Amino acid sequence: MPAKKSNSKKQTTGTTEEWFDRSGNRVVLVGKIKRIVFENDNVCKFSIDCVNKTDKGNYAHAFITCVQFKSSCDYEIAEDELVSISGRIQTTSYNGNYSTQIVCDKIYEEQ
């Protein structure tokens, strides 16, 4: 005799932050802060220089654009400071152009 199918729907509850933790859209980066641009009192955009060692022993630099909202981070950033950040990937479009950036949740000073 086959098993009965359940008609109950799976309910999702929790905060938006808990949903992002379950969604898999999480990023952790370590690098030096470069090119800080303050758009206004609540938004700061910057690049983080992540260094990778290639198979040939050379170093490759990846400059990744990040955005920090004052409401989500209490940490003041400074250029050329080594930090680790956690956040999520966000892609936006404007006038047919696409931009991918990291929206920071936490910023930690590395030692």
Side-chain angles (χ1 to χ4, degrees), residues 59-87:
Y59 292 98
H61 294 264
F63 293 92
I64 300 167
T65 304
C66 303
V67 63
Q68 173 191 15
F69 295 100
K70 194 171 188 175
S71 62
S72 65
C73 295
D74 296 331
Y75 185 74
E76 292 289 328
I77 61 174
E79 202 163 315
D80 287 329
E81 187 173 12
L82 184 64
V83 295
S84 63
I85 63 169
S86 67

